[in-house]
Amino acid sequence: MLSRALSAYVIGVDAHLIEVEVDITSKGLPHFSLVGLPDAAVKESKDRIKAALKNIGFSFPLKQITVNLAPADLKKEGSSFDLPIAVGIVAAEGIIPSGALNDYILAGELSLDGKIKPVRGALPIALEAKRLGLKGVVLPNENAAEAAVVSGINVICMESLPEVIEFLGGISTREPFTVDIHSAMVESSQYEDDFSDVKGQEHAKRALEVAAAGGHNILMIGTPGSGKTMLARRLPSILPPMTFDEALETTKIHSVSGLLKEGQSLLATRPFRSPHHTISDVALIGGGQIPRPGEVSLAHHGTLFLDELPEFKRNVLEVLRQPLENGMVTVSRAVATVAYPARFVLVAAMNPCPCGYHNDSRHQCTCTPSMINRYRSRVSGPLMDRIDIHIDVPAVPYKELSDTYSGEKSGVIRQRVTDARDRQLNRFGADRIFSNGQMTTRHMKKYCTLTDDAHGLLDAAMQKLGLSARAYSRILKVSRTIADLDRSENIHNHHVAEAIQYRTLDRGQI
């Protein structure tokens, strides 16, 4: 007898429908054949399914069983096909009506006692079921919360294979799992770190506020222990609150990567990713034999922090060019070519020299000029071109460390940042860009209107500081953001003056 169940396979961050066809015949010797380009994990499902069916009291058919995973030319991997294959075998034996399997996508890994274990990518699978107009999905209990944020479909959560068989066979009923999206957004949007925790460094805090308001990449240069990492970790807390669409897109990426906590439905805090400087280019950008999202995609809609920037391998840093430019990463492998979203704010930190104490009044620098030049040249010019703001982060004196004043809270700064971002969204609505950091030359000509005084100041700065053409465009972008924070349509001289001080540490002037 022939049966057909529905499952899904995640490629990139999107799920694709897989038809699980099961044919059982009594002719010939008993045999279990699994076809459709399965990998080792899928092939091993035969043994898990046999043991699970036996241990729940089902008499496994000693017949010729052929299972086809269609489309057959797409390589399948993972253990999520255990459940649909097992249900397909039961349906082929006539225990479940074949029509009952056409309304739900099934996904789950089976343990040997028939329990259903969680799988990756439950949220994309639920979105695919909605796109196809299906009734719903049948998933393990642990995956129900993330799938239930998709409205318009029934999310049926199950603990064991017998429960699935009884539900699909019409013996029992099960209420769909539901999630209050508003409550989920509120509960998961709280940040543990706050800007009020940082003593001193008011100049750096202001620079990070400008970076957050305009989506500008930023480089912090300072001695060890000056607070660069502490400041970077608090940047997500002043970024605008995530919209539901942003939360959904970010949650999809973390769902595919298996990074969602058990019972977590949405990731409503902006992610902060801080990879070690020994990371490989594949781990940073994504890929592998079976492509997976990298750190740049896990930082989507959030912050990617690269501490000790010159210590990263040159080839690792160079792969950042595409995501910084386009907000996307394209990974091409033999099995597939996938595109991952990767729009983030890059925050980088480095010491001024190899020993870390160049120009520090409290420590003696032991580096020669040639050592300092070699250290700084590890970061290529093309990458520096994509960093709008360079700031110096000096060591905090004892007086500021011991001061009881804690500074502004993240919520206060976030409100100013959100207001500035709203102005940018209104300005760029028809241009499909979302912040000043994404402006092209055409946008700068149209939207960066300088007053006469600002023109004069910028001209003098270009001459006296010897700033390059790329520094000129960065100053315009940052000035536009500062003016937005000031709720000004035109860019005045004090906006330009503040932007210029964020470029005095330009390449060769650190």
Side-chain angles (χ1 to χ4, degrees):
M1 186 176 175
L2 177 67
S3 69
R4 173 179 169 272
L6 301 180
S7 189
Y9 177 52
V10 177
I11 302 176
V13 293
D14 297 314
H16 299 265
L17 184 70
I18 301 295
E19 295 183 3
V20 181
E21 301 170 326
V22 181
D23 178 70
I24 299 180
T25 179
S26 57
K27 296 180 180 180
L29 295 174
H31 182 64
F32 195 144
S33 177
L34 185 58
V35 297
L37 287 183
D39 76 338
V42 180
K43 290 178 181 178
E44 290 173 353
S45 65
K46 295 187 292 187
D47 298 316
R48 291 192 295 270
I49 291 168
K50 286 180 181 179
L53 290 174
K54 176 179 68 70
N55 289 324
I56 67 172
F58 180 80
S59 180
F60 191 83
L62 298 177
K63 303 175 182 177
Q64 279 198 350
I65 303 175
T66 303
V67 178
N68 178 42
L69 305 177
D73 61 346
L74 179 65
K75 187 173 179 62
K76 323 298 187 307
E77 66 95 17
S79 57
S80 62
F81 298 107
D82 290 5
L83 181 60
I85 293 174
V87 170
I89 292 173
V90 175
E93 286 289 274
I95 298 176
I96 298 176
S98 58
L101 304 182
N102 296 328
D103 296 330
Y104 292 90
I105 287 181
L106 312 176
E109 177 186 334
L110 288 179
S111 61
L112 300 186
D113 61 354
K115 300 292 185 183
I116 307 177
K117 295 183 177 180
V119 294
R120 295 180 178 183
L123 177 55
I125 290 173
L127 290 169
E128 177 68 3
K130 180 179 180 179
R131 187 187 71 83
L132 295 172
L134 299 177
K135 193 172 182 179
V137 293
V138 177
L139 296 169
N141 284 336
E142 293 84 350
N143 293 125
E146 60 178 288
V149 300
V150 181
S151 60
I153 63 169
N154 294 332
V155 177
I156 308 299
C157 55
M158 297 290 184
E159 185 178 353
S160 65
L161 180 56
E163 292 180 2
V164 178
I165 295 174
E166 291 176 359
F167 172 75
L168 295 175
I171 300 174
S172 66
T173 59
R174 183 64 64 94
E175 288 295 321
F177 189 90
T178 59
V179 167
D180 186 341
I181 295 177
H182 176 72
S183 298
M185 288 286 290
V186 173
E187 290 173 4
S188 59
S189 61
Q190 303 301 316
Y191 294 91
E192 295 181 0
D193 299 319
D194 195 278
F195 257 76
S196 61
D197 301 331
V198 182
K199 298 286 188 178
Q201 303 294 14
E202 298 303 324
H203 173 66
K205 290 180 185 178
R206 171 62 179 179
L208 286 170
E209 178 182 343
V210 173
H216 301 290
N217 302 316
I218 183 171
L219 171 65
M220 295 185 289
I221 306 155
T223 58
S226 59
K228 300 185 295 294
T229 301
M230 188 176 187
L231 286 163
R233 288 191 176 277
R234 282 150 181 79
L235 180 61
S237 68
I238 64 172
L239 290 171
M242 293 184 79
T243 64
F244 175 72
D245 289 340
E246 288 178 331
L248 196 64
E249 193 172 13
T250 304
T251 306
K252 278 176 61 178
I253 299 171
H254 286 251
S255 173
V256 170
S257 303
L259 297 179
L260 289 182
K261 299 177 183 177
E262 184 177 335
Q264 185 176 13
S265 56
L266 276 175
L267 187 66
T269 53
R270 295 192 178 272
F272 177 85
R273 304 296 298 183
S274 178
H276 193 261
H277 64 260
T278 57
I279 191 172
S280 67
D281 53 349
V282 172
L284 182 65
I285 209 71
Q289 185 176 3
I290 303 296
R292 296 288 187 193
E295 290 291 331
V296 295
S297 296
L298 294 173
H300 185 52
H301 291 314
T303 301
L304 178 67
F305 177 51
L306 301 183
D307 198 8
E308 304 295 343
L309 184 66
E311 302 298 333
F312 284 80
K313 297 177 183 177
R314 185 68 170 257
N315 65 305
V316 173
L317 293 179
E318 293 308 304
V319 299
L320 287 173
R321 293 192 197 180
Q322 185 192 11
L324 288 175
E325 195 72 27
N326 304 327
M328 293 289 294
V329 171
T330 303
V331 179
S332 297
R333 295 293 182 268
V335 294
T337 297
V338 297
Y340 295 111
R343 191 171 298 282
F344 54 85
V345 175
L346 173 65
V347 180
M350 61 181 288
N351 295 329
C353 65
C355 76
Y357 296 109
H358 182 63
N359 289 334
D360 184 63
S361 59
R362 298 182 297 179
H363 297 85
Q364 180 68 38
C365 177
T366 59
C367 304
T368 64
S370 61
M371 292 171 60
I372 297 174
N373 289 333
R374 282 197 303 269
Y375 176 75
R376 297 171 181 175
S377 64
R378 292 179 188 175
V379 184
S380 68
L383 179 60
M384 291 295 290
D385 282 349
R386 291 163 173 82
I387 299 178
D388 297 343
I389 299 175
H390 309 159
I391 59 167
D392 187 19
V393 184
V396 182
Y398 172 77
K399 182 178 180 180
E400 292 184 1
L401 285 174
S402 60
D403 195 351
T404 56
Y405 174 70
S406 59
E408 289 184 307
K409 291 187 176 294
S410 291
V412 177
I413 304 174
R414 187 193 305 122
Q415 186 58 56
R416 294 198 297 266
V417 169
T418 303
D419 291 343
R421 282 288 184 104
D422 289 341
R423 295 175 68 88
Q424 294 165 48
L425 289 174
N426 293 333
R427 180 186 304 129
F428 302 130
D431 296 325
R432 298 187 63 81
I433 63 174
F434 308 101
S435 64
N436 291 331
Q438 301 171 24
M439 284 194 296
T440 63
T441 303
R442 177 174 61 87
H443 296 118
M444 286 189 287
K445 288 181 179 178
K446 184 176 180 181
Y447 299 117
C448 297
T449 304
L450 299 174
T451 63
D452 292 339
D453 290 344
H455 268 297
L457 178 60
L458 185 54
D459 180 36
M462 294 290 293
Q463 297 296 327
K464 292 183 178 180
L465 299 179
L467 298 177
S468 64
R470 68 169 178 262
Y472 170 76
S473 64
R474 303 304 174 194
I475 289 172
L476 281 183
K477 290 182 180 182
V478 175
S479 298
R480 177 67 271 171
T481 299
I482 296 170
D484 288 336
L485 285 168
D486 205 22
R487 299 183 178 182
S488 173
E489 284 300 321
N490 294 325
I491 300 175
H492 297 277
N493 57 350
H494 59 281
H495 302 143
V496 173
E498 183 177 350
I500 290 171
Q501 69 176 336
Y502 298 142
R503 296 299 301 185
T504 53
L505 301 176
D506 202 359
R507 190 168 178 83
Q509 302 178 31
I510 298 175

